[in-house]
Amino acid sequence: MSETSYLTNQFLIAMPALADPNFFQTVTYISEHNANGALGLVINRPLQLSLGQLLAHLHIAPGGSEAAALPVYHGGPVQPEQGFVIHNPLGQWGATLRVTDQIGITTSRDILQALVRGEGPAQWLVALGYAGWGPGQLEQELAENAWLSAPVDFRILFHTPSEQRWSAAAALLGIDLNLLPTHAGHA
């Protein structure tokens, strides 16, 4: 694959026929994709866990922050105990993967502490776990029509209600997923 065909900083949208329960009707933000594989975070699967509950588990006082009531997302099946914060702007945090000039993914506690003080990034989403693909695996799944890819839209990533993100991401491509068949077929 050429460098330009990698999907870093793209949405990966599950096709209706993708039956894997880990990815059924998901939107995944791809934070890294290269010859070694891909890594992403599912952004539309809220857990039954609020940020305040997560902070309490981490012994970080949530204070009076409105952020404490927001959901934590199931980012994927790999390392579900690991936390990730997708955020804009980048900022200076202890451990951040710089995805673009505007978006980073941080795994250090300092960003969570800043969020509860109201000093964190303007836009963010917290997830536990991630989705990973080995070399060539995502390319193969794309060739099998398991996924669509679309450019990232900050409104969908940070502001659209969770239950609307799957259809909203596909709408970026002019596609209504409700009109597509829910089974795979070959002519």
Side-chain angles (χ1 to χ4, degrees):
M1 269 188 122
S2 71
E3 191 66 34
T4 57
S5 59
Y6 288 123
L7 301 178
T8 297
N9 193 44
Q10 297 269 315
F11 284 145
L12 196 62
I13 306 158
M15 290 291 282
L18 182 62
D20 180 332
N22 288 309
F23 298 106
F24 180 70
Q25 294 189 351
T26 58
V27 177
T28 304
Y29 174 69
I30 300 297
S31 57
E32 193 169 38
H33 185 205
N34 54 42
N36 298 318
L39 180 137
L41 298 171
V42 174
I43 63 160
N44 66 329
R45 286 262 175 95
L47 294 166
Q48 295 297 316
L49 178 71
S50 70
L51 181 58
Q53 292 168 314
L54 177 63
L55 294 171
H57 178 74
L58 297 171
H59 306 291
I60 298 173
S65 170
E66 293 177 15
L70 295 174
V72 173
Y73 289 82
H74 174 66
V78 183
Q79 292 186 345
E81 70 288 345
Q82 175 66 53
F84 299 87
V85 181
I86 305 172
H87 56 89
N88 169 50
L90 278 174
Q92 298 291 317
W93 310 105
T96 300
L97 167 67
R98 181 182 171 276
V99 181
T100 71
D101 289 341
Q102 291 110 12
I103 295 200
I105 296 183
T106 297
T107 57
S108 51
R109 292 171 59 99
D110 57 345
I111 195 168
L112 294 173
Q113 293 162 331
L115 287 173
V116 299
R117 291 192 309 267
E119 300 167 2
Q123 301 179 99
W124 52 271
L125 179 148
V126 177
L128 293 176
Y130 69 92
W133 292 264
Q137 184 181 1
L138 182 54
E139 292 82 352
Q140 182 63 39
E141 291 178 14
L142 286 161
E144 294 168 356
N145 295 318
W147 304 99
L148 294 170
S149 65
V152 165
D153 181 309
F154 280 14
R155 290 177 314 235
I156 295 170
L157 181 59
F158 296 116
H159 304 292
T160 300
S162 304
E163 67 279 2
Q164 295 173 18
R165 289 180 180 165
W166 185 59
S167 58
L172 293 171
L173 302 170
I175 295 172
D176 181 345
L177 293 168
N178 296 313
L179 300 178
L180 297 179
T182 57
H183 60 281
H186 299 282

